[in-house]
């Protein structure tokens, strides 16, 4: 077990009628007034958590702080319902559970970000600001990246992703040949939430090893998908499948992640794996910074449908597929 102690200005609580009240629309809650009423937050992982730093959606932690209705508050087995990247200054991790009084409570933790100042900056007309309790696109989706060296199928054969250029055509599973509209890369420490996930040859039809960012999704199909989710085909975040034979998280000092944006969100072919392209949604616009935001404005006339064509499973849903022998790649 591992315990994190949060700075007082980096967390706040939502209790009572503030929880899931839809103040800012669907899937939103309001922070309690004032944010300084909650202090001394501690977050303790479970004994079976193999990496407490990941804070993946669906995982549970024990959350305790002072300043609750009776002077203190405690949630055992608080579930992570939203988990943004630590690398983003405005990211947040949200825990939800019933407190010691049996009341539904949410705790917002923003490591490295002054949530208290943000609260007062957005305090409007006596109303506390609201926050989204879930990611704003399906599938707990943040970074869709290939690692340097990944071969991508094109009309001239498999080409390492770093050698592809804007305008080059790539094969997709569901939309034929598509041109690359935008490409960029970022280097990040390959540890913790940024550590790549390795898919070995022979796993899900891979002809050779592939390494992807944790939030990258594979297009899969099979009896288990249909049985559990009522769809023959679904996108599954690869981190949900870690621990299956041939899928593991690896840590490296530095990893180069490369994004590809196509006119339409589609499944690319990488060493036989069907891996999604970058989805130009709200999360990508927020996480990829001003460079992508400026490019996106220019690219909008060329962009088609930026919705996934198939259901996108969340991490906890993808874990239900673990060990299912009837799951295979979409063909």
């Amino acid at each position: 077990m591992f315990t994190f102690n949060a700075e007082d200005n980096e967390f706040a609580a939502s209790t009572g009628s503030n929880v899931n009240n839809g103040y800012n629309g669907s899937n939103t809650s309001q922070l309690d007034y004032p944010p300084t009423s909650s202090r001394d937050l501690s977050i303790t992982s479970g004994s079976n958590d193999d990496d407490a730093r990941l804070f993946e959606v669906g995982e549970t932690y024990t959350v305790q702080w002072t300043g609750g209705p009776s002077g203190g508050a405690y949630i055992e087995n608080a579930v992570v319902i939203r988990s943004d990247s630590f690398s983003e200054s405005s990211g947040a991790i949200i825990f939800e559970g019933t407190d010691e009084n049996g009341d539904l409570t949410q705790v917002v933790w923003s490591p490295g970000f002054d949530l208290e100042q943000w609260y007062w900056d957005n305090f409007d007309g006596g109303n506390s600001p609201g926050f989204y309790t879930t990611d704003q696109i399906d599938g707990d989706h943040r970074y869709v990246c290939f690692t340097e060296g990944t071969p991508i199928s094109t009309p001239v054969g498999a080409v390492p992703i770093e050698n592809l250029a804007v305008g080059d055509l790539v094969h997709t599973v569901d939309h034929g040949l598509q041109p690359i509209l935008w490409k960029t890369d970022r280097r990040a420490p390959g540890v913790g939430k940024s550590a790549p996930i390795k898919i070995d040859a022979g796993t899900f039809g891979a002809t050779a090893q592939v390494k992807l960012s944790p939030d990258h999704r594979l297009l899969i199909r099979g009896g288990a998908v249909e049985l559990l989710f009522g769809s023959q085909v679904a996108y599954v975040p690869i981190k949900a499948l870690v621990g299956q034979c041939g899928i593991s998280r690896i840590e490296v000092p530095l990893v180069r992640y490369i994004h590809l944006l196509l006119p339409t969100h589609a499944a690319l072919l990488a060493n036989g794996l069907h891996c999604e392209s970058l989805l130009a949604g709200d999360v990508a616009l927020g996480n990829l910074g001003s460079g992508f935001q400026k490019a996106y404005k220019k690219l909008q006339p060329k962009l088609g449908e930026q919705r996934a064509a198939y259901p996108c499973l969340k991490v906890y849903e993808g874990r239900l597929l673990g060990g299912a022998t009837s799951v295979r790649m979409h063909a």
Side-chain angles (χ1 to χ4, degrees), residues 311-323:
C312 298
L313 305 187
K314 293 185 178 294
V315 174
Y316 71 89
E317 293 173 325
R319 286 179 177 147
L320 297 176
L321 299 174

Side-chain angles (χ1 to χ4, degrees), residues 113-159:
F113 179 74
D114 193 336
L115 184 63
E116 186 176 312
Q117 185 61 52
W118 176 88
Y119 178 100
W120 294 120
D121 288 344
N122 291 274
F123 190 73
D124 183 27
N127 290 314
S128 297
F131 59 93
Y132 287 106
T133 58
T134 61
D135 294 328
Q136 292 309 291
I137 55 176
D138 291 337
D140 186 34
H141 175 88
R142 287 184 292 274
Y143 298 111
V144 173
C145 322
F146 297 89
T147 58
E148 182 178 18
T150 302
I152 303 296
S153 179
T154 78
V156 296
V159 177

Side-chain angles (χ1 to χ4, degrees), residues 101-249:
N101 300 312
D103 297 324
L104 185 64
T105 299
Q106 293 169 346
V107 175
V108 182
W109 180 35
S110 57
F113 179 74
D114 193 336
L115 184 63
E116 186 176 312
Q117 185 61 52
W118 176 88
Y119 178 100
W120 294 120
D121 288 344
N122 291 274
F123 190 73
D124 183 27
N127 290 314
S128 297
F131 59 93
Y132 287 106
T133 58
T134 61
D135 294 328
Q136 292 309 291
I137 55 176
D138 291 337
D140 186 34
H141 175 88
R142 287 184 292 274
Y143 298 111
V144 173
C145 322
F146 297 89
T147 58
E148 182 178 18
T150 302
I152 303 296
S153 179
T154 78
V156 296
V159 177
I161 190 169
E162 64 271 21
N163 295 339
L164 292 172
V166 170
D168 287 349
L169 293 174
V170 294
H171 286 296
T172 71
V173 174
D174 40 359
H175 293 286
L177 290 176
Q178 292 285 313
I180 298 171
L181 292 185
W182 182 79
K183 174 189 173 187
T184 194
D185 66 89
R186 59 171 59 193
R187 287 171 171 81
V191 296
K193 291 174 75 76
S194 296
I197 291 176
K198 175 173 65 74
I199 302 97
D200 291 336
T203 303
F204 288 142
T207 58
Q209 185 185 99
V210 176
K211 289 179 285 186
L212 303 170
S213 62
D215 291 285
H216 213 133
R217 296 182 289 206
L218 302 183
L219 188 62
I220 68 173
R221 68 177 301 165
V225 176
E226 186 169 10
L227 178 64
L228 293 172
F229 304 106
S231 175
Q232 293 184 347
V233 187
Y235 276 113
V236 180
I238 187 62
K239 67 183 180 183
L241 303 175
V242 169
Q244 286 200 48
C245 181
I247 302 177
S248 58
R249 194 184 303 272

Side-chain angles (χ1 to χ4, degrees), residues 51 53-54 56 189-196 214 249-252 257:
D51 194 337
R53 301 167 298 169
L54 292 179
E56 293 185 309
V191 296
K193 291 174 75 76
S194 296
R249 194 184 303 272
I250 59 173
E251 294 204 343
V252 294
Y257 282 134

Side-chain angles (χ1 to χ4, degrees), residues 182 184 261 278-281 284-286 288-297 299:
W182 182 79
T184 194
L261 177 66
L278 178 65
L279 179 62
L285 286 168
L288 293 179
S290 59
F292 179 60
Q293 292 163 12
K294 291 177 182 177
Y296 180 78
K297 291 181 180 179
L299 291 171

Side-chain angles (χ1 to χ4, degrees), residues 2 67 70 221 258 288:
F2 191 87
S70 58
R221 68 177 301 165
I258 301 175
L288 293 179

